[in-house]
Amino acid sequence: MAAEGWICRWGWGRRCLGRPGLPGPGPGPTTPLFLLLLLGSVTADITDGNSEHLKREHSLIKPYQGVGSSSMPLWDFQGSTMLTSQYVRLTPDERSKEGSIWNHQPCFLKDWEMHVHFKVHGTGKKNLHGDGIALWYTRDRLVPGPVFGSKDNFHGLAIFLDTYPNDETTERVFPYISVMVNNGSLSYDHSKDGRWTELAGCTADFRNRDHDTFLAVRYSRGRLTVMTDLEDKNEWKNCIDITGVRLPTGYYFGASAGTGDLSDNHDIISMKLFQLMVEHTPDEESIDWTKIEPSVNFLKSPKDVAPPAGAAARSHHSHSFRRLGESGSRRVHGL
């Protein structure tokens, strides 16, 4: 019980409602050694942040301001987006809709964690709904386009919550969460569900749940981690964990969604950004982080065979982005 309470208090694995965890990359300096040994199998440490480090200028939190109007402080929205007192609806459950919401302020934090409370729901039965939500940290904002309601060939980071398999030959199970980092040279291929530009992903059953659904994205010192809480257990589950990711500061957070012949309601309830208190070396501090180009360095070969020649040509660029093997969800802690 003591160990479990410590995990909850410090944010290792459990999402503690009302009890923010430590907003940093790991346990504090006073952590007993035996607890560090017990937690040796932990693969990621998504926390609940700390209210002192909640960055309100980058957060969307109820009660929303501007309900009933076409604008709100700190956030811009466009397309089919509708602001209500309970949620921001990016698209209704109607065909051919696109909507997005974008933060006004560029983010200059080197280390951050975003918690997203979202809901995807509709009347469509199995494989008769779509298309999904995209979460963004990108150079450009408020540019509509074909990638879940936003522009293609973007600069930055995208997390796709895809509900419909366009590729009939895929072995992946949908809904599916995937990550893409782009320096502007890559095009997202909807017909293959972004397979050739996906860095990693996991199956995640987030559609039409009768309880709250959450996703957390952490970026710190080149490590990108995505976790979900979809089972109403107040517990984060690992989805994606990648190292070697380089993202600049000064980009914008946003969310978008799109529907085609199939549709769903795509709702954002909150987006909370936390600053992570991380020490950097003098060399790291001397870097102009606004000038970094989005990139990923890999130490392992892609799992899949090479894409067709046409896809290879579209994906060719100096950073040699390659896919990691697919991974399913797993428990974060083993206690």
Side-chain angles (χ1 to χ4, degrees), residues 295-316:
S295 63
V296 182
N297 295 319
F298 290 111
L299 298 178
K300 61 190 300 184
S301 299
K303 175 182 176 182
D304 297 312
V305 297
R314 287 194 301 271
S315 300
H316 177 73

Side-chain angles (χ1 to χ4, degrees), residues 91-157:
T91 73
D93 190 359
E94 300 174 9
R95 293 182 178 183
S96 302
K97 298 293 183 179
E98 293 180 351
S100 67
I101 185 166
W102 290 88
N103 190 214
H104 283 185
Q105 306 294 327
C107 179
F108 291 98
L109 301 178
K110 299 184 186 73
D111 306 272
W112 48 263
E113 184 171 311
M114 175 70 82
H115 293 189
V116 183
H117 181 186
F118 69 98
K119 188 174 182 65
V120 178
H121 57 109
T123 58
K125 303 302 181 182
K126 184 177 180 181
N127 291 337
L128 294 176
H129 48 78
D131 287 320
I133 293 176
L135 304 173
W136 305 95
Y137 175 67
T138 56
R139 184 188 68 183
D140 304 310
R141 58 191 290 271
L142 288 170
V143 183
V147 185
F148 296 89
S150 194
K151 68 168 293 185
D152 201 355
N153 298 99
F154 58 92
H155 287 74
L157 168 70

Side-chain angles (χ1 to χ4, degrees), residues 73-95:
L74 300 178
W75 294 83
D76 290 318
F77 51 91
Q78 67 175 6
S80 60
T81 302
M82 178 179 65
L83 178 64
T84 76
S85 61
Q86 298 301 312
Y87 52 81
V88 177
R89 176 153 292 169
L90 301 174
T91 73
D93 190 359
E94 300 174 9
R95 293 182 178 183

Side-chain angles (χ1 to χ4, degrees), residues 252-265:
Y252 296 90
F253 288 103
S256 68
T259 66
D261 292 334
L262 304 175
S263 62
D264 258 338
N265 297 300

Side-chain angles (χ1 to χ4, degrees), residues 25-295:
T30 59
T31 304
L33 177 60
F34 79 92
L35 284 176
L36 288 175
L37 295 175
L38 283 173
L39 293 167
S41 62
V42 173
T43 59
D45 52 323
I46 292 292
T47 74
D48 278 293
N50 186 310
S51 58
E52 295 177 8
H53 302 292
L54 173 69
K55 309 304 288 185
R56 293 188 177 275
E57 66 269 30
H58 301 301
S59 298
L60 175 70
I61 305 173
K62 290 193 294 186
Y64 311 127
Q65 299 181 43
V67 175
S69 69
S70 59
S71 64
M72 62 188 303
L74 300 178
W75 294 83
D76 290 318
F77 51 91
Q78 67 175 6
S80 60
T81 302
M82 178 179 65
L83 178 64
T84 76
S85 61
Q86 298 301 312
Y87 52 81
V88 177
R89 176 153 292 169
L90 301 174
T91 73
D93 190 359
E94 300 174 9
R95 293 182 178 183
S96 302
K97 298 293 183 179
E98 293 180 351
S100 67
I101 185 166
W102 290 88
N103 190 214
H104 283 185
Q105 306 294 327
C107 179
F108 291 98
L109 301 178
K110 299 184 186 73
D111 306 272
W112 48 263
E113 184 171 311
M114 175 70 82
H115 293 189
V116 183
H117 181 186
F118 69 98
K119 188 174 182 65
V120 178
H121 57 109
T123 58
K125 303 302 181 182
K126 184 177 180 181
N127 291 337
L128 294 176
H129 48 78
D131 287 320
I133 293 176
L135 304 173
W136 305 95
Y137 175 67
T138 56
R139 184 188 68 183
D140 304 310
R141 58 191 290 271
L142 288 170
V143 183
V147 185
F148 296 89
S150 194
K151 68 168 293 185
D152 201 355
N153 298 99
F154 58 92
H155 287 74
L157 168 70
I159 298 97
F160 301 121
L161 287 70
D162 196 346
T163 57
Y164 182 77
N166 291 288
D167 182 4
E168 296 180 355
T169 65
T170 184
E171 75 279 7
R172 292 177 292 180
V173 178
F174 282 67
Y176 189 82
I177 298 175
S178 65
V179 163
M180 178 178 175
V181 172
N182 200 351
N183 63 1
S185 67
L186 298 177
S187 179
Y188 180 87
D189 187 351
H190 261 295
S191 67
K192 294 296 182 180
D193 304 306
R195 184 177 187 84
W196 307 127
T197 50
E198 173 196 330
L199 300 177
C202 74
T203 294
D205 187 13
F206 55 77
R207 184 181 180 271
N208 271 355
R209 306 307 294 263
D210 57 5
H211 51 259
D212 292 337
T213 49
F214 299 86
L215 180 140
V217 183
R218 165 183 283 236
Y219 177 69
S220 181
R221 302 198 70 177
R223 183 180 180 184
L224 179 69
T225 309
V226 177
M227 289 194 172
T228 61
D229 176 11
L230 309 176
E231 305 298 332
D232 200 25
K233 295 180 179 178
N234 296 331
E235 180 176 292
W236 293 118
K237 288 191 175 182
N238 190 42
C239 173
I240 295 167
D241 195 350
I242 308 171
T243 58
V245 178
R246 287 173 60 84
L247 297 174
T249 59
Y251 280 17
Y252 296 90
F253 288 103
S256 68
T259 66
D261 292 334
L262 304 175
S263 62
D264 258 338
N265 297 300
H266 298 99
D267 301 339
I268 300 291
I269 293 91
S270 68
M271 298 176 68
K272 298 179 180 179
L273 186 76
F274 299 95
Q275 180 180 6
L276 301 179
M277 310 309 292
V278 178
E279 289 188 14
H280 287 268
T281 66
D283 287 343
E284 290 173 333
E285 293 291 355
S286 67
I287 296 172
D288 184 351
W289 289 73
T290 64
K291 298 295 194 295
I292 291 175
E293 188 172 14
S295 63

